[in-house]
Structure formats: C-alpha cells, structure tokens
Amino acid sequence: EADIYQTPRYLVIGTGKKITLECSQTMGHDKMYWYQQDPGMELHLIHYSYGVNSTEKGDLSSESTVSRIRTEHFPLTLESARPSHTSQYLCASSEEGPTYGYTFGSGTRLTVV
Amino acid sequence: GQSLEQPSEVTAVEGAIVQINCTYQTSGFYGLSWYQQHDGGAPTFLSYNGLDGLEETGRFSSFLSRSDSYGYLLLQELQMKDSASYFCALGAQAGTALIFGKGTTLSVSS
C-alpha cells in the first residue's frame, strides 16, 4: 500500500545528541516537506524538497539539515538536540500541482531532556 | 511574508452547519487549502481553492474570494467525528511550500 512512513514514532534523547528522523514514502512523489508542530498549535515549515538533490529552507531551518539522495527518502537531522527542540515533527509528500494536497506521516514525537 | 488568521475555537451541535473563516496576507497567491487534524493524528487534506468560488466535497465546502483575501470552510450536517482542528494553508506561489494558519478547534456536541 502506498504510504508515507516516519520513524521513530517516539524518541527521548539527551541534550547535545545528534539525531536523525527518518521519512520514507512509497507514492513516488517528488515533493517532500518537514514541519514542526507543538500540541494544538500551527505547523511551522522546516525544510522542503522538490526532487532529488533539491532542498530548500523554511522558517525553522537554522538548527537542522536535510538530504534528498533518493526520491523516496527525506531524513531530517538535528546536529545538537536542545530542550527547545521538544516537539512533534511531521513529514509530508505531494504530487505535482496544488490540487492534490499533502499526505502526512504519523509524525515523530521528540523529547529532549 | 505571509500570514493567516482564523478563529481559535468554534463550537456547534450535531446536525448544525458551521463556517470557519480564514483571512490571509501575502504578496503572491497560488491557492488556499484546508486540512483536518484529529487529536494525536496527522493532518489530512480536505480541499483546495485556486480560483474564486465554492468547491464542494460531500458535507464539506470551501470558498475563496481573492479580492478580499478571504476564504472559509463550511461543514454541514455536523457529526461528533468532525470534532478536530481545521487549518487553512496558503500557497504563495508555485515552487514554495504551504504556510499553515494557527488552526481552529471545532467542538461538536450532541
């Protein structure tokens, strides 16, 4: 079944650690996105990609990096985790054209202690 | 930059009709989308408006007026399962990602 997968679902990690949040999709979408969302709050754009070897920064990009080496894979890396990074991270993908909408993964709930 | 405004909370009873408004400010406009998110769940796409007018999808409709920088989501025949957060999202131009509003929490009571 075509879908978008995020791992891990939950992560508790210590301050200063380097972490990579995984996101993979089997729908063949060229466009992929990372958003950060605190409970009950808006989604903030972190990074996005419109294809292999193409990445763009969003408003919250300064403390993280992404790569897009394969169409189906779009990992997000925090080089040095801080308590302020505690949040939910949502990955999404979409077909070409705005009418199709984004398909979101289930998210990774990150807690930095 | 871009910004969106929507009410933080709306309450209604089962069977009623509710309208969630969204106003936006942007230098460029490509489209306005709506997403639903249940507690603990991922956002799901509901509708898209690129041109003025009404788009209908079952019980849900979405309207756009580009001259007023305004749109709304209309939910009819409300059901308890419609209790969720609803986000409007702005596409400022082709080649950029969506910017989301702060969301409106809809509570449907019996």
Side-chain angles (χ1 to χ4, degrees):
Chain A
E1 178 182 340
D3 209 340
I4 182 164
Y5 305 94
Q6 289 188 244
T7 57
R9 186 73 177 90
Y10 300 93
L11 178 63
V12 180
I13 200 163
T15 297
K17 299 292 186 182
K18 178 180 179 178
I19 57 173
T20 296
L21 308 184
E22 300 290 346
C23 178
S24 295
Q25 50 96 5
T26 58
M27 295 174 282
H29 291 168
D30 284 330
K31 298 180 177 181
M32 296 188 74
Y33 316 85
W34 277 103
Y35 287 86
Q36 180 181 342
Q37 184 185 32
D38 292 327
M41 304 296 285
E42 67 198 284
L43 287 75
H44 293 280
L45 179 66
I46 311 173
H47 293 277
Y48 61 103
S49 167
Y50 275 7
V52 171
N53 295 324
S54 155
T55 61
E56 299 289 340
K57 296 181 178 182
D59 292 340
L60 291 187
S61 60
S62 63
E63 299 173 7
S64 61
T65 58
V66 291
S67 62
R68 189 85 183 278
I69 299 172
R70 304 197 315 267
T71 297
E72 63 271 21
H73 193 215
F74 191 40
L76 174 74
T77 297
L78 299 178
E79 293 293 333
S80 179
R82 301 207 304 260
S84 61
H85 292 140
T86 295
S87 188
Q88 175 165 253
Y89 292 82
L90 291 164
C91 180
S93 70
S94 68
E95 294 188 57
E96 191 65 40
T99 60
Y100 294 100
Y102 290 4
T103 301
F104 282 86
S106 298
T108 293
R109 292 189 180 274
L110 173 66
T111 301
V112 183
V113 298
Chain B
Q2 297 87 37
S3 66
L4 300 103
E5 293 287 336
Q6 50 181 131
S8 58
E9 294 183 19
V10 173
T11 60
V13 296
E14 275 188 303
I17 299 172
V18 71
Q19 179 174 312
I20 300 174
N21 298 319
C22 175
T23 57
Y24 58 86
Q25 291 187 321
T26 179
S27 55
F29 181 84
Y30 195 62
L32 190 71
S33 304
W34 289 91
Y35 287 78
Q36 178 192 60
Q37 185 179 31
H38 287 98
D39 265 352
T44 57
F45 172 68
L46 291 177
S47 68
Y48 168 81
N49 294 77
L51 300 174
D52 291 351
L54 191 69
E55 294 286 339
E56 298 181 79
T57 309
R59 294 188 297 116
F60 294 179
S61 303
S62 58
F63 173 81
L64 175 67
S65 170
R66 288 175 295 172
S67 61
D68 296 321
S69 298
Y70 163 75
Y72 65 72
L73 180 69
L74 190 73
L75 298 87
Q76 303 182 74
E77 301 173 14
L78 281 174
Q79 303 174 11
M80 297 291 286
K81 68 178 181 179
D82 297 329
S83 293
S85 292
Y86 292 84
F87 295 87
C88 56
L90 177 67
Q93 59 186 29
T96 62
L98 291 178
I99 302 301
F100 284 78
K102 295 184 186 301
T104 298
T105 300
L106 170 64
S107 299
V108 180
S109 59
S110 57

